[in-house]
Amino acid sequence: MEMEQQFKNVTVDKAANIYFDGKVTSRSVWLPNGSKITLGIMLPGEYEFGTDSLEVMDILSGDLKVLLPGETLWREISGRGTFTVPARSSFKLEVRSVTDYCCSYGSGA
Amino acid sequence: MEMEQQFKNVTVDKAANIYFDGKVTSRSVWLPNGSKITLGIMLPGEYEFGTDSLEVMDILSGDLKVLLPGETLWREISGRGTFTVPARSSFKLEVRSVTDYCCSYGSGA
């Protein structure tokens, strides 16, 4: 998935998902196998997100720090990077420059 | 097109188009007929855009003013609205709240 530049034969929601007064936005995309991803943008700011299912965040470009659940050390991402967040947890982000991401979702189990 | 809630059997670019330090961002989507649309977000601010081809801007939600080429009166859009910009021209926007849009492109002729 990480090397794909385009997603083909997908369904895209017309309306955006809008969070934090538009500082975090995304579009929902359904892949041919029925799984959902979101393609999103985060502007600089501090955010905390909760997860229902497992989330794999593929950072396509940006400059940010992430604090994963159960961790005390912030991970730094400059440019590209990936991190995984367990289901039913939360994570914190400090976004320092415009960040482009692709989020994939696992089962909630 | 305006009433569709989803676009099916399309191709989506993974990476975002990023303008104005991320205050305007979009994803490019290719419809089954090969035509391109962009699904985008504009945060509050003042912008001027140039067009190569004709553009039909379908505002899905937002609060903004638009000054079309050759006009002296700003058009107000609150909520939904549509405007068309000729090819090889420019238009100005004053965006007052987070604006979700779908832009379609005509031929450059």
Side-chain angles (χ1 to χ4, degrees), chain A residues 15-28:
Chain A
N17 310 306
I18 300 175
Y19 310 100
F20 298 105
D21 289 327
K23 293 178 75 179
V24 179
T25 59
S26 70
R27 305 273 166 179
S28 298

Side-chain angles (χ1 to χ4, degrees), chain A residues 7-15 17 27-39 105, chain B residues 5-10 12:
Chain A
F7 297 102
K8 296 178 190 295
N9 301 311
V10 299
T11 295
V12 181
D13 273 3
K14 190 172 186 178
N17 310 306
R27 305 273 166 179
S28 298
V29 176
W30 280 266
L31 303 183
N33 68 5
S35 65
K36 187 180 90 164
I37 62 170
T38 52
L39 294 170
Y105 302 86
Chain B
Q5 301 306 306
Q6 291 188 320
F7 297 103
K8 297 178 190 295
N9 301 311
V10 298
V12 182

Side-chain angles (χ1 to χ4, degrees), chain B residues 32-102:
Chain B
N33 68 5
S35 65
K36 187 181 89 163
I37 62 171
T38 50
L39 295 170
I41 291 282
M42 297 186 288
L43 295 193
E46 299 185 9
Y47 311 106
E48 181 162 8
F49 296 96
T51 65
D52 291 323
S53 58
L54 177 145
E55 296 189 9
V56 179
M57 279 284 279
D58 180 13
I59 305 297
L60 308 175
S61 64
D63 181 11
L64 67 161
K65 292 196 300 186
V66 56
L67 184 64
L68 293 175
E71 299 194 352
T72 54
L73 212 60
W74 290 77
R75 301 182 186 201
E76 299 271 349
I77 298 177
S78 281
R80 290 199 65 132
T82 300
F83 59 89
T84 299
V85 189
R88 295 179 299 280
S89 62
S90 67
F91 63 106
K92 293 181 181 179
L93 294 176
E94 286 183 23
V95 175
R96 285 177 295 226
S97 72
V98 183
T99 293
D100 188 11
Y101 71 86
C102 175

